[in-house]
Amino acid sequence: MNSILIIGAGRSSGALINYVLEKAQQKGWFVTVADADPALADAKVNGHPNGRPAWLDVLKVNDRKELISRADVVVSLLPAHLHVEVAQDCIKLNKHLITASYVSKEMYSLGDEVRDRELIFMGEMGLDPGIDHMSAMQKIDEIKEKGGKLLSFRSYTGGLVAPESDDNPWHYKFTWNPRNVVLAGQGTAQYLRKKKYKFIPYNRLFRKTWNIEVPGMGPFEVYANRDSLLYREQYGLKNIPTILRGTIRYPGYSAAWNALVKIGLTDADFPILNSDKLTYHSLMEAFAPEGNSSVKDRIAGMIKEKPNSEVMKKLEWLGLFSKRKIKIPNATPALILENLLLEKWKLEPTDKDMIIMQHEFIYSLNGKKHKLISSMVMKGDGEDDTAMARLVGLPMGIFVGLIAEGKIKSTGVQIPVMKEVYEPVLEELKHYGVEFTEQEEILK
């Protein structure tokens, strides 16, 4: 296998493309980078002798099939809802597939066909999901192998701005798809605590947070992620009493984001007629209750905040009470918010982002209860070399190599929880600075 197709040359693709092109020169691979923007693909290939850019509108079926037919391994960096289209082509054309996205029910339904053709479709092979699965499974297997019994597992990840580049009151900047940040958490988060199911609907998600301490970095807050219950079986923790996956943010972020939710600014379901003629102030007026006081004071009352609270200061800093025009026609509140945040939370050329991942394991062994904290921190180096892009792209790149060299025997639709995957990937990631530090104590 020596032909690799990478579909997508956007924000998170740089580290993956650079890694695969570097290995291509050593291994004799040929790499095609395809994107709807040919200039973007061309810039990412950057004249490499083992690579070529290609134009691809992924919705043009014949063009898509023609590119996939020439590859041995396909990496899809497309939006998650487009993976199934690519996957069906890969089945028909007998190609392996790798994505960083959560594996959907539609993708899992292809499992038998994928297995019958002795292919592997590896999903959730990025950072979160991805490195979180692999690093957690490595520890879970180690605990089990020495006779331990897992009582509690909590796993948290956050894409943040590094302290030295933190210069806004939200303590946050974009390093990932802004749309996903604006719509994060919609639905109901599910987890297990002391054998009891816990459900947190979207309207309460950012009010329910946990405090954690990251060694050498200080305090952070966590809110619950999606459906933690899905991973009990995949992690071999079917009967565990407590399991929770969460997202890390700096303290104060969740309370302010909760205010945006309560106001209605994360709603992606209705377009506002002639929104381009509105100002941010008039938008907030439309959301505010009736009254004679200022819009800001009425919004503060509606969300049960004092007008000079830290939450209100964050909203004001965004410019939500300014007389500036929105300039986006017929936009939903979520799109208006996304457009505003793209400006206010922009990662500047020399800014450093930061990824934090932490796992907490509580287990019993020889009559004693142990608590193990495993943490990883990585900082980026400017907007063109973010920690986010590295940690999303490198696991996929390393796995491309494992498939190309015939080192993976598993087939079907999978996530990276098996030893034959996590051991070599985590070992190689160490060469790129991905190291976990551990603290363990015996609980009374």
Side-chain angles (χ1 to χ4, degrees):
M1 292 187 204
N2 61 5
S3 181
I4 317 297
L5 171 61
I6 298 172
I7 304 176
R11 188 188 293 255
S12 64
S13 67
L16 164 66
I17 292 168
N18 291 340
Y19 176 92
V20 175
L21 285 172
E22 183 183 329
K23 293 295 178 184
Q25 204 153 14
Q26 301 168 17
K27 307 284 186 180
W29 302 340
F30 190 79
V31 182
T32 301
V33 177
D35 196 275
D37 181 349
L40 205 55
D42 189 51
K44 290 288 166 67
V45 172
N46 196 26
H48 195 285
N50 291 67
R52 77 171 180 107
W55 172 84
L56 176 64
D57 178 345
V58 76
L59 298 178
K60 293 190 181 298
V61 177
N62 291 335
D63 292 346
R64 190 180 70 220
K65 284 183 175 177
E66 199 254 327
L67 270 179
I68 291 172
S69 70
R70 288 192 254 141
D72 298 308
V73 183
V74 177
V75 183
S76 176
L77 297 176
L78 294 166
H81 68 278
L82 294 172
H83 290 324
V84 173
E85 307 287 334
V86 174
Q88 288 168 340
D89 292 343
C90 287
I91 290 172
K92 290 170 189 167
L93 297 166
N94 240 46
K95 312 298 179 182
H96 300 290
L97 175 64
I98 305 166
T99 81
S101 302
Y102 284 98
V103 179
S104 65
K105 289 178 182 175
E106 292 80 8
M107 190 71 85
Y108 272 125
S109 72
L110 303 175
D112 289 343
E113 288 181 87
V114 176
R115 199 173 294 106
D116 289 346
R117 290 177 179 265
E118 297 187 345
L119 298 171
I120 185 164
F121 285 9
M122 180 61 77
E124 307 190 17
M125 194 65 200
L127 164 64
D128 173 12
I131 293 175
D132 57 345
H133 293 328
M134 293 184 282
S135 53
M137 278 307 304
Q138 187 175 55
K139 287 282 121 194
I140 288 167
D141 285 345
E142 284 178 13
I143 290 167
K144 287 181 175 180
E145 283 164 11
K146 64 185 181 183
K149 180 182 178 183
L150 267 297
L151 305 174
S152 171
F153 170 63
R154 294 179 171 92
S155 178
Y156 315 124
T157 307
L160 306 161
V161 61
E164 55 266 45
S165 300
D166 182 1
D167 55 10
N168 76 56
W170 285 79
H171 311 297
Y172 190 83
K173 294 186 181 183
F174 284 128
T175 57
W176 191 231
N177 187 332
R179 188 72 172 162
N180 290 352
V181 175
V182 171
L183 300 181
Q186 299 200 4
T188 298
Q190 304 178 51
Y191 64 100
L192 196 64
R193 182 177 181 272
K194 296 182 178 178
K195 298 185 179 179
K196 291 184 178 179
Y197 291 106
K198 307 300 283 185
F199 305 131
I200 311 180
Y202 180 59
N203 66 324
R204 291 196 285 113
L205 182 65
F206 298 96
R207 284 162 43 198
K208 173 64 176 174
T209 60
W210 295 264
N211 297 321
I212 65 167
E213 190 80 21
V214 178
M217 298 305 302
F220 293 87
E221 65 186 25
V222 172
Y223 65 84
N225 255 5
R226 296 180 179 241
D227 185 357
S228 299
L229 306 178
L230 284 173
Y231 295 96
R232 284 180 300 176
E233 197 159 328
Q234 289 166 318
Y235 283 13
L237 300 174
K238 193 173 180 181
N239 298 313
I240 195 167
T242 298
I243 184 169
L244 169 68
R245 288 163 51 84
T247 297
I248 300 172
R249 291 289 182 260
Y250 281 106
Y253 175 95
S254 297
W257 192 266
N258 185 55
L260 297 177
V261 174
K262 286 200 283 188
I263 293 166
L265 292 170
T266 62
D267 192 328
D269 290 335
F270 79 97
I272 298 171
L273 194 64
N274 298 321
S275 57
D276 54 326
K277 294 181 173 60
L278 292 176
T279 65
Y280 290 101
H281 184 274
S282 56
L283 174 68
M284 297 299 277
E285 170 77 77
F287 277 112
E290 297 290 335
N292 297 320
S293 58
S294 71
V295 170
K296 182 184 169 187
D297 284 354
R298 280 180 281 143
I299 289 288
M302 182 177 78
I303 63 175
K304 295 182 171 53
E305 290 284 340
K306 292 182 178 178
N308 63 346
S309 72
E310 290 303 313
V311 166
M312 291 303 296
K313 287 176 184 175
K314 287 181 173 66
L315 301 188
E316 194 163 16
W317 179 85
L318 289 178
L320 286 170
F321 303 104
S322 76
K323 300 290 179 73
R324 192 158 64 102
K325 279 197 173 177
I326 290 168
K327 296 182 181 176
I328 315 173
N330 305 320
T332 64
L335 183 58
I336 293 169
L337 179 60
E338 178 186 346
N339 189 65
L340 179 61
L341 295 179
L342 274 168
E343 174 192 329
K344 303 296 286 189
W345 286 354
K346 184 180 185 298
L347 198 69
E348 298 298 333
T350 58
D351 278 346
K352 294 182 177 182
D353 71 321
M354 178 173 70
I355 301 297
I356 294 178
M357 184 175 291
Q358 185 176 94
H359 306 304
E360 178 196 280
F361 309 89
I362 296 177
Y363 66 96
S364 60
L365 178 65
N366 299 328
K368 294 180 179 177
K369 192 184 285 187
H370 296 248
K371 180 180 179 180
L372 170 64
I373 302 284
S374 178
S375 306
M376 183 273 292
V377 178
M378 174 176 276
K379 293 181 183 180
D381 190 17
E383 65 172 343
D384 294 326
D385 182 18
T386 63
M388 178 67 78
R390 284 183 218 158
L391 296 183
V392 170
L394 286 171
M396 287 190 285
I398 294 167
F399 192 69
V400 164
L402 294 173
I403 293 179
E405 294 174 355
K407 293 180 178 177
I408 299 298
K409 305 304 176 193
S410 299
T411 59
V413 177
Q414 302 285 355
I415 67 170
V417 292
M418 58 283 273
K419 253 185 197 182
E420 71 164 353
V421 175
Y422 72 64
E423 281 189 341
V425 174
L426 291 175
E427 188 59 35
E428 186 162 349
L429 282 172
K430 288 180 184 176
H431 302 301
Y432 294 89
V434 183
E435 294 270 12
F436 284 79
T437 58
E438 295 181 5
Q439 295 179 330
E440 185 158 6
E441 62 177 309
I442 295 177
L443 300 174
K444 293 180 181 179

